């Protein structure tokens, strides 16, 4: 299936320190492209993959699940580690859950995590029942472009509940093992987020074993803060964070 405009992956092949970027659920690399390009310009080797089932049609997302998404980022991390001294993982939304799983399973390969509105839980109390509900309601309205600015993150206008069920299973795999995460964490949380509740960051910071944890609140952006008013602050702060720990 052809990729939708602006949703293509982005990779660079120079730099001794790598950064793996992981986009969110139903989204695409477009949501992180500007951040990835500025990180590459700062001298880092960058990998921004397109998760399976994303950036094409929602029907393709409906037939993928969390093992497919994790296999993608696991492979990209291995590729970066083959040529980099250190690798950081930067993420948005559900990408945060995938990056936390990488830190749980491969602690020696993850130098630090930078997460923007990471999701390990959701606003809707119906998410745990998505596996059953999908038999009656295959799709629901999309959750795209939650920002103050007018943006296009390359996301779908419909969300397949089969994939929502897969995301929930991912969270159930990640949350019990958060204590295995010990690397430095830099977290950005929007004060107004219509997609992910504040409890998500609270769960993460309460359960990880990391002693180097910084949380910044974003007052001028909604969920897709990487394309919103605070995008520049996220880039500048993350570059400082990685430079200090490289």
């Amino acid at each position: 299936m052809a990729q939708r405009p602006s949703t293509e992956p982005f990779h660079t092949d120079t730099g001794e320190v790598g950064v793996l970027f992981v986009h969110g659920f139903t989204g695409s690399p477009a949501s992180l492209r500007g951040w990835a390009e500025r990180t590459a310009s700062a001298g880092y080797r960058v990998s921004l993959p397109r998760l399976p089932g994303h950036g094409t049609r929602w029907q393709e997302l409906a037939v993928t699940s969390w093992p497919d998404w994790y296999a993608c980022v696991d492979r990209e991390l291995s590729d970066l580690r083959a040529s980099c001294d250190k690798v950081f993982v930067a993420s948005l939304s559900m990408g945060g859950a995938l990056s936390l799983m990488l830190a749980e399973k491969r602690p020696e390969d993850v130098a630090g995590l930078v997460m923007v509105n990471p999701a390990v839980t959701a606003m809707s109390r119906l998410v745990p029942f998505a596996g059953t509900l999908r038999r009656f309601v295959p799709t629901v309205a999309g959750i795209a472009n939650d920002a103050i600015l007018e943006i296009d993150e390359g996301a779908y206008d419909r969300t397949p509940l089969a994939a929502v069920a897969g995301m929930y299973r991912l969270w159930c795999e990640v949350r019990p093992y958060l204590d295995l995460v010990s690397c430095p964490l830099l977290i950005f949380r929007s004060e107004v987020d219509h997609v992910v509740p504040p409890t998500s960051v609270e769960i993460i910071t309460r359960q990880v074993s990391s002693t180097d944890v910084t949380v910044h609140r974003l007052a001028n952006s909604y969920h897709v803060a990487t394309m919103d008013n605070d995008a520049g602050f996220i880039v500048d702060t993350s570059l400082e964070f990685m430079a200090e720990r490289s």
Side-chain angles (χ1 to χ4, degrees), residues 113-162:
L113 300 180
V114 182
M115 297 182 287
V116 179
N117 293 319
V120 294
T121 187
M123 290 285 193
S124 175
R125 295 181 180 180
L126 296 178
V127 167
F129 308 103
T132 299
L133 292 173
R134 69 188 178 95
R135 302 172 187 172
F136 309 98
V137 185
T139 70
V140 295
I143 53 173
N145 302 326
D146 183 41
I148 297 173
L149 300 178
E150 184 175 343
I151 66 167
D152 181 5
E153 60 172 321
Y156 297 138
D157 58 1
R158 301 298 299 176
T159 301
L161 288 188

Side-chain angles (χ1 to χ4, degrees), residues 15-28:
E16 296 181 355
V17 177
V19 184
L20 169 59
F21 287 87
V22 189
H23 68 75
F25 181 65
T26 80
S28 78

Side-chain angles (χ1 to χ4, degrees), residues 10-240:
F10 174 70
H11 297 82
T12 62
D13 57 6
T14 58
E16 296 181 355
V17 177
V19 184
L20 169 59
F21 287 87
V22 189
H23 68 75
F25 181 65
T26 80
S28 78
S31 62
L32 300 178
R33 182 63 180 260
W35 186 7
E37 288 179 345
R38 282 198 55 190
T39 301
S41 296
Y44 294 89
R45 188 183 299 255
V46 165
S47 173
L48 170 54
R50 180 176 61 87
L51 297 177
H54 292 74
T56 55
R57 301 185 308 153
W58 67 257
Q59 289 87 345
E60 292 195 11
L61 181 59
V63 294
T64 68
S65 191
W66 77 263
D68 305 302
W69 311 329
Y70 180 76
C72 173
V73 297
D74 183 65
R75 183 171 57 250
E76 296 281 340
L77 177 59
S78 293
D79 290 346
L80 283 174
R81 282 294 287 138
S83 52
C84 295
D85 298 331
K86 289 185 176 182
V87 177
F88 294 86
V89 185
S91 59
L92 170 67
S93 195
M94 184 197 70
L98 292 169
S99 66
L100 287 163
M101 180 173 277
L102 286 173
E104 291 171 357
K105 294 179 176 291
R106 302 180 58 176
E108 71 284 356
D109 293 326
V110 178
L113 300 180
V114 182
M115 297 182 287
V116 179
N117 293 319
V120 294
T121 187
M123 290 285 193
S124 175
R125 295 181 180 180
L126 296 178
V127 167
F129 308 103
T132 299
L133 292 173
R134 69 188 178 95
R135 302 172 187 172
F136 309 98
V137 185
T139 70
V140 295
I143 53 173
N145 302 326
D146 183 41
I148 297 173
L149 300 178
E150 184 175 343
I151 66 167
D152 181 5
E153 60 172 321
Y156 297 138
D157 58 1
R158 301 298 299 176
T159 301
L161 288 188
V164 174
M167 179 175 63
Y168 179 70
R169 289 193 293 271
L170 168 65
W171 295 343
C172 292
E173 292 288 333
V174 169
R175 288 195 303 242
Y177 304 104
L178 284 172
D179 63 301
L180 298 178
V181 177
S182 58
C183 64
L185 303 183
L186 174 62
I187 303 174
F188 299 91
R189 181 177 77 78
S190 296
E191 292 183 359
V192 178
D193 186 333
H194 303 99
V195 179
V196 175
T199 52
S200 190
V201 168
E202 293 168 6
I203 289 170
I204 294 167
T205 56
R206 183 173 64 247
Q207 294 184 215
V208 296
S209 298
S210 305
T211 56
D212 182 356
V213 179
T214 302
V215 179
H216 289 286
R217 292 193 174 191
L218 306 177
N220 299 305
S221 300
Y222 293 163
H223 182 65
V224 191
T226 53
M227 300 181 77
D228 213 343
N229 291 309
D230 292 299
F233 174 73
I234 291 170
V235 173
D236 293 341
T237 307
S238 65
L239 289 176
E240 292 174 5

